[in-house]
Amino acid sequence: DTGVSQNPRHKITKRGQNVTFRCDPISEHNRLYWYRQTLGQGPEFLTYFQNEAQLEKSRLLSDRFSAERPKGSFSTLEIQRTEQGDSAMYLCASTLWAEPANYGYTFGSGTRLTVV
Amino acid sequence: TQLLEQSPQFLSIQEGENLTVYCNSSSVFSSLQWYRQEPGEGPVLLVTVVTGGEVKKLKRLTFQFGDARKDSSLHITAAQPGDTGLYLCAGRTGAGGTSYGKLTFGQGTILTVHP
């Protein structure tokens, strides 16, 4: 297993277009998280899944954003009608959720979105 | 909403100097993690602290979790240019509700170590 994989690494799109990002987590990890990060800031939580169930969505995630994790494996994050304010790094992380253990989160390298 | 405040936001020092980064919150976290991030890459986990008062060492890095599990610090001894990066603290939400296990990040500390 080579870690968390995100595709594409970079995406440039025109305002108003739809974009979709993919995240392939570490295979045995049952939790998958999406974060958004702007330059020089900490990641902001967007949403997370336990297996295929989406357990929480941030208020940051407007109706234009949707995420799925069919079959509890890979996940996709779609942004419809992109706006310039959506320009950011979108990070995916996965972890093995097995209380009471405190496993760290493994992050992918992110997808950098630029909306022009 | 649980918030984590990191300070300082920027730190520019010479090789060989010591430094401390602070992470504070009014909320209690079940655990706290520190990450290091390089430009264009995702954060990489450095350490997880769980018990109030816990101290962990990783070579020249020393991490401490506050007694009340609301704050943490990262101390680097004899900083090297390779330590340059964005340092992030992240608190893990405790039990109760669907936010259990969610990581909330501080805004980060950008460290630059000059040769």
Side-chain angles (χ1 to χ4, degrees):
Chain A
D1 203 335
T2 56
V4 178
S5 176
Q6 289 190 247
N7 289 288
R9 287 294 308 272
H10 304 274
K11 179 70 178 179
I12 300 174
T13 190
K14 290 184 178 179
R15 190 176 53 184
Q17 298 293 306
N18 299 343
V19 293
T20 299
F21 311 141
R22 177 180 170 120
C23 172
D24 287 271
I26 292 174
S27 56
E28 61 266 29
H29 285 183
N30 51 5
R31 279 205 174 182
L32 184 148
Y33 297 76
W34 285 99
Y35 285 82
R36 180 170 67 188
Q37 185 178 30
T38 52
L39 204 61
Q41 297 295 312
E44 294 176 299
F45 170 79
L46 293 178
T47 188
Y48 85 95
F49 295 82
Q50 178 148 324
N51 300 313
E52 66 275 8
Q54 189 173 19
L55 295 188
E56 186 176 350
K57 291 172 60 173
S58 165
R59 281 168 288 179
L60 290 175
L61 216 63
S62 75
D63 292 344
R64 297 184 296 106
F65 288 71
S66 62
E68 295 182 339
R69 193 185 182 197
K71 303 177 184 177
S73 56
F74 72 92
S75 176
T76 57
L77 178 67
E78 181 184 17
I79 308 174
Q80 296 183 327
R81 305 180 302 281
T82 52
E83 301 172 356
Q84 286 188 320
D86 297 331
S87 296
M89 174 79 91
Y90 290 83
L91 291 165
C92 175
S94 69
T95 191
L96 176 62
W97 184 254
E99 284 291 273
N102 272 278
Y103 296 111
Y105 290 47
T106 302
F107 281 83
S109 296
T111 294
R112 177 159 299 282
L113 172 67
T114 303
V115 182
V116 297
Chain B
T1 303
Q2 296 180 304
L3 294 173
L4 276 168
E5 297 286 335
Q6 266 186 257
S7 62
Q9 277 192 275
F10 302 94
L11 203 49
S12 181
I13 62 172
Q14 293 298 124
E15 183 175 2
E17 292 184 8
N18 302 334
L19 67 111
T20 302
V21 177
Y22 299 94
C23 180
N24 295 293
S25 175
S26 58
S27 304
V28 175
F29 292 98
S30 64
S31 66
L32 199 134
Q33 301 177 349
W34 285 91
Y35 291 80
R36 180 170 169 268
Q37 185 177 21
E38 297 196 25
E41 297 297 327
V44 175
L45 179 68
L46 295 173
V47 78
T48 299
V49 285
V50 179
T51 307
E54 183 176 4
V55 177
K56 280 193 175 179
K57 292 193 174 183
L58 188 67
K59 297 184 180 177
R60 294 177 293 102
L61 278 60
T62 302
F63 305 86
Q64 185 163 8
F65 201 13
D67 291 341
R69 290 186 290 132
K70 292 183 179 180
D71 55 87
S72 181
S73 64
L74 158 61
H75 182 79
I76 301 179
T77 303
Q80 298 176 1
D83 296 327
T84 294
L86 175 67
Y87 287 82
L88 296 159
C89 65
R92 199 178 82 151
T93 310
T98 55
S99 293
Y100 186 21
K102 185 179 80 176
L103 275 186
T104 300
F105 282 85
Q107 72 270 42
T109 295
I110 299 175
L111 171 65
T112 305
V113 183
H114 301 280

PDB file of all heavy atoms in Angstrom, chain B residues 53-69:
ATOM      1  N   GLY B  53      -0.588  16.150  30.632  1.00  0.00           N
ATOM      2  CA  GLY B  53       0.737  16.208  31.217  1.00  0.00           C
ATOM      3  C   GLY B  53       1.781  15.377  30.479  1.00  0.00           C
ATOM      4  O   GLY B  53       2.966  15.405  30.826  1.00  0.00           O
ATOM      5  N   GLU B  54       1.338  14.661  29.464  1.00  0.00           N
ATOM      6  CA  GLU B  54       2.258  13.774  28.731  1.00  0.00           C
ATOM      7  C   GLU B  54       3.333  14.557  28.003  1.00  0.00           C
ATOM      8  O   GLU B  54       3.068  15.623  27.454  1.00  0.00           O
ATOM      9  CB  GLU B  54       1.449  12.935  27.734  1.00  0.00           C
ATOM     10  CG  GLU B  54       2.261  11.920  26.944  1.00  0.00           C
ATOM     11  CD  GLU B  54       1.394  11.059  26.042  1.00  0.00           C
ATOM     12  OE1 GLU B  54       0.169  11.290  25.965  1.00  0.00           O
ATOM     13  OE2 GLU B  54       1.942  10.151  25.383  1.00  0.00           O
ATOM     14  N   VAL B  55       4.547  14.021  28.013  1.00  0.00           N
ATOM     15  CA  VAL B  55       5.666  14.591  27.270  1.00  0.00           C
ATOM     16  C   VAL B  55       6.230  13.502  26.365  1.00  0.00           C
ATOM     17  O   VAL B  55       6.493  12.391  26.816  1.00  0.00           O
ATOM     18  CB  VAL B  55       6.774  15.111  28.215  1.00  0.00           C
ATOM     19  CG1 VAL B  55       7.965  15.626  27.401  1.00  0.00           C
ATOM     20  CG2 VAL B  55       6.235  16.217  29.116  1.00  0.00           C
ATOM     21  N   LYS B  56       6.393  13.854  25.087  1.00  0.00           N
ATOM     22  CA  LYS B  56       7.011  12.907  24.151  1.00  0.00           C
ATOM     23  C   LYS B  56       8.173  13.574  23.447  1.00  0.00           C
ATOM     24  O   LYS B  56       8.101  14.766  23.113  1.00  0.00           O
ATOM     25  CB  LYS B  56       5.984  12.426  23.114  1.00  0.00           C
ATOM     26  CG  LYS B  56       5.055  11.346  23.609  1.00  0.00           C
ATOM     27  CD  LYS B  56       4.286  10.709  22.457  1.00  0.00           C
ATOM     28  CE  LYS B  56       3.459   9.544  22.950  1.00  0.00           C
ATOM     29  NZ  LYS B  56       2.680   8.925  21.855  1.00  0.00           N
ATOM     30  N   LYS B  57       9.219  12.794  23.216  1.00  0.00           N
ATOM     31  CA  LYS B  57      10.394  13.331  22.521  1.00  0.00           C
ATOM     32  C   LYS B  57      10.622  12.570  21.233  1.00  0.00           C
ATOM     33  O   LYS B  57      10.512  11.338  21.183  1.00  0.00           O
ATOM     34  CB  LYS B  57      11.629  13.241  23.421  1.00  0.00           C
ATOM     35  CG  LYS B  57      11.574  14.167  24.623  1.00  0.00           C
ATOM     36  CD  LYS B  57      12.922  14.290  25.317  1.00  0.00           C
ATOM     37  CE  LYS B  57      12.846  15.341  26.416  1.00  0.00           C
ATOM     38  NZ  LYS B  57      14.143  15.568  27.077  1.00  0.00           N
ATOM     39  N   LEU B  58      10.966  13.324  20.205  1.00  0.00           N
ATOM     40  CA  LEU B  58      11.273  12.768  18.899  1.00  0.00           C
ATOM     41  C   LEU B  58      12.546  13.470  18.437  1.00  0.00           C
ATOM     42  O   LEU B  58      12.502  14.554  17.866  1.00  0.00           O
ATOM     43  CB  LEU B  58      10.112  13.045  17.933  1.00  0.00           C
ATOM     44  CG  LEU B  58      10.146  12.385  16.565  1.00  0.00           C
ATOM     45  CD1 LEU B  58       9.998  10.889  16.699  1.00  0.00           C
ATOM     46  CD2 LEU B  58       9.000  12.939  15.702  1.00  0.00           C
ATOM     47  N   LYS B  59      13.684  12.842  18.748  1.00  0.00           N
ATOM     48  CA  LYS B  59      14.995  13.428  18.460  1.00  0.00           C
ATOM     49  C   LYS B  59      15.079  14.831  19.075  1.00  0.00           C
ATOM     50  O   LYS B  59      15.038  14.964  20.292  1.00  0.00           O
ATOM     51  CB  LYS B  59      15.255  13.453  16.952  1.00  0.00           C
ATOM     52  CG  LYS B  59      15.310  12.059  16.333  1.00  0.00           C
ATOM     53  CD  LYS B  59      15.653  12.105  14.866  1.00  0.00           C
ATOM     54  CE  LYS B  59      15.687  10.692  14.301  1.00  0.00           C
ATOM     55  NZ  LYS B  59      15.958  10.681  12.834  1.00  0.00           N
ATOM     56  N   ARG B  60      15.174  15.867  18.289  1.00  0.00           N
ATOM     57  CA  ARG B  60      15.327  17.228  18.828  1.00  0.00           C
ATOM     58  C   ARG B  60      13.974  17.898  19.117  1.00  0.00           C
ATOM     59  O   ARG B  60      13.941  19.053  19.556  1.00  0.00           O
ATOM     60  CB  ARG B  60      16.117  18.078  17.836  1.00  0.00           C
ATOM     61  CG  ARG B  60      17.573  17.640  17.650  1.00  0.00           C
ATOM     62  CD  ARG B  60      18.282  18.489  16.601  1.00  0.00           C
ATOM     63  NE  ARG B  60      17.712  18.245  15.265  1.00  0.00           N
ATOM     64  CZ  ARG B  60      16.869  19.057  14.669  1.00  0.00           C
ATOM     65  NH1 ARG B  60      16.471  20.178  15.258  1.00  0.00           N
ATOM     66  NH2 ARG B  60      16.394  18.777  13.468  1.00  0.00           N
ATOM     67  N   LEU B  61      12.884  17.191  18.894  1.00  0.00           N
ATOM     68  CA  LEU B  61      11.548  17.753  19.110  1.00  0.00           C
ATOM     69  C   LEU B  61      10.959  17.206  20.400  1.00  0.00           C
ATOM     70  O   LEU B  61      11.009  16.004  20.660  1.00  0.00           O
ATOM     71  CB  LEU B  61      10.630  17.381  17.935  1.00  0.00           C
ATOM     72  CG  LEU B  61      10.698  18.210  16.656  1.00  0.00           C
ATOM     73  CD1 LEU B  61      12.076  18.194  16.021  1.00  0.00           C
ATOM     74  CD2 LEU B  61       9.649  17.747  15.659  1.00  0.00           C
ATOM     75  N   THR B  62      10.405  18.099  21.233  1.00  0.00           N
ATOM     76  CA  THR B  62       9.738  17.716  22.466  1.00  0.00           C
ATOM     77  C   THR B  62       8.310  18.243  22.433  1.00  0.00           C
ATOM     78  O   THR B  62       8.097  19.432  22.201  1.00  0.00           O
ATOM     79  CB  THR B  62      10.467  18.283  23.700  1.00  0.00           C
ATOM     80  OG1 THR B  62      11.816  17.817  23.709  1.00  0.00           O
ATOM     81  CG2 THR B  62       9.775  17.830  24.987  1.00  0.00           C
ATOM     82  N   PHE B  63       7.369  17.349  22.670  1.00  0.00           N
ATOM     83  CA  PHE B  63       5.949  17.685  22.629  1.00  0.00           C
ATOM     84  C   PHE B  63       5.371  17.518  24.025  1.00  0.00           C
ATOM     85  O   PHE B  63       5.678  16.550  24.722  1.00  0.00           O
ATOM     86  CB  PHE B  63       5.199  16.764  21.671  1.00  0.00           C
ATOM     87  CG  PHE B  63       5.756  16.736  20.280  1.00  0.00           C
ATOM     88  CD1 PHE B  63       6.793  15.878  19.951  1.00  0.00           C
ATOM     89  CD2 PHE B  63       5.240  17.564  19.299  1.00  0.00           C
ATOM     90  CE1 PHE B  63       7.311  15.843  18.676  1.00  0.00           C
ATOM     91  CE2 PHE B  63       5.748  17.543  18.008  1.00  0.00           C
ATOM     92  CZ  PHE B  63       6.796  16.679  17.698  1.00  0.00           C
ATOM     93  N   GLN B  64       4.510  18.462  24.420  1.00  0.00           N
ATOM     94  CA  GLN B  64       3.881  18.371  25.725  1.00  0.00           C
ATOM     95  C   GLN B  64       2.390  18.619  25.593  1.00  0.00           C
ATOM     96  O   GLN B  64       1.961  19.506  24.848  1.00  0.00           O
ATOM     97  CB  GLN B  64       4.502  19.383  26.691  1.00  0.00           C
ATOM     98  CG  GLN B  64       3.983  19.263  28.110  1.00  0.00           C
ATOM     99  CD  GLN B  64       4.872  19.962  29.112  1.00  0.00           C
ATOM    100  OE1 GLN B  64       5.812  20.659  28.744  1.00  0.00           O
ATOM    101  NE2 GLN B  64       4.587  19.776  30.386  1.00  0.00           N
ATOM    102  N   PHE B  65       1.581  17.833  26.307  1.00  0.00           N
ATOM    103  CA  PHE B  65       0.142  18.004  26.353  1.00  0.00           C
ATOM    104  C   PHE B  65      -0.191  18.588  27.711  1.00  0.00           C
ATOM    105  O   PHE B  65       0.290  18.095  28.734  1.00  0.00           O
ATOM    106  CB  PHE B  65      -0.533  16.646  26.177  1.00  0.00           C
ATOM    107  CG  PHE B  65      -1.960  16.676  25.713  1.00  0.00           C
ATOM    108  CD1 PHE B  65      -2.551  17.833  25.210  1.00  0.00           C
ATOM    109  CD2 PHE B  65      -2.733  15.529  25.752  1.00  0.00           C
ATOM    110  CE1 PHE B  65      -3.862  17.851  24.762  1.00  0.00           C
ATOM    111  CE2 PHE B  65      -4.051  15.527  25.291  1.00  0.00           C
ATOM    112  CZ  PHE B  65      -4.615  16.679  24.805  1.00  0.00           C
ATOM    113  N   GLY B  66      -0.990  19.638  27.753  1.00  0.00           N
ATOM    114  CA  GLY B  66      -1.324  20.277  29.012  1.00  0.00           C
ATOM    115  C   GLY B  66      -2.088  19.360  29.945  1.00  0.00           C
ATOM    116  O   GLY B  66      -2.757  18.419  29.499  1.00  0.00           O
ATOM    117  N   ASP B  67      -1.989  19.636  31.232  1.00  0.00           N
ATOM    118  CA  ASP B  67      -2.647  18.794  32.236  1.00  0.00           C
ATOM    119  C   ASP B  67      -4.151  18.674  31.989  1.00  0.00           C
ATOM    120  O   ASP B  67      -4.741  17.613  32.207  1.00  0.00           O
ATOM    121  CB  ASP B  67      -2.409  19.360  33.641  1.00  0.00           C
ATOM    122  CG  ASP B  67      -0.963  19.221  34.076  1.00  0.00           C
ATOM    123  OD1 ASP B  67      -0.248  18.394  33.485  1.00  0.00           O
ATOM    124  OD2 ASP B  67      -0.546  19.944  35.000  1.00  0.00           O
ATOM    125  N   ALA B  68      -4.763  19.775  31.552  1.00  0.00           N
ATOM    126  CA  ALA B  68      -6.207  19.783  31.330  1.00  0.00           C
ATOM    127  C   ALA B  68      -6.580  19.363  29.913  1.00  0.00           C
ATOM    128  O   ALA B  68      -7.756  19.401  29.526  1.00  0.00           O
ATOM    129  CB  ALA B  68      -6.764  21.184  31.600  1.00  0.00           C
ATOM    130  N   ARG B  69      -5.611  18.972  29.113  1.00  0.00           N
ATOM    131  CA  ARG B  69      -5.809  18.533  27.719  1.00  0.00           C
ATOM    132  C   ARG B  69      -6.472  19.616  26.871  1.00  0.00           C
ATOM    133  O   ARG B  69      -7.274  19.342  25.979  1.00  0.00           O
ATOM    134  CB  ARG B  69      -6.606  17.234  27.669  1.00  0.00           C
ATOM    135  CG  ARG B  69      -5.805  16.038  28.187  1.00  0.00           C
ATOM    136  CD  ARG B  69      -6.540  14.714  28.012  1.00  0.00           C
ATOM    137  NE  ARG B  69      -7.667  14.615  28.897  1.00  0.00           N
ATOM    138  CZ  ARG B  69      -8.879  14.244  28.512  1.00  0.00           C
ATOM    139  NH1 ARG B  69      -9.128  13.944  27.250  1.00  0.00           N
ATOM    140  NH2 ARG B  69      -9.861  14.171  29.391  1.00  0.00           N
TER     141      ARG B  69
END
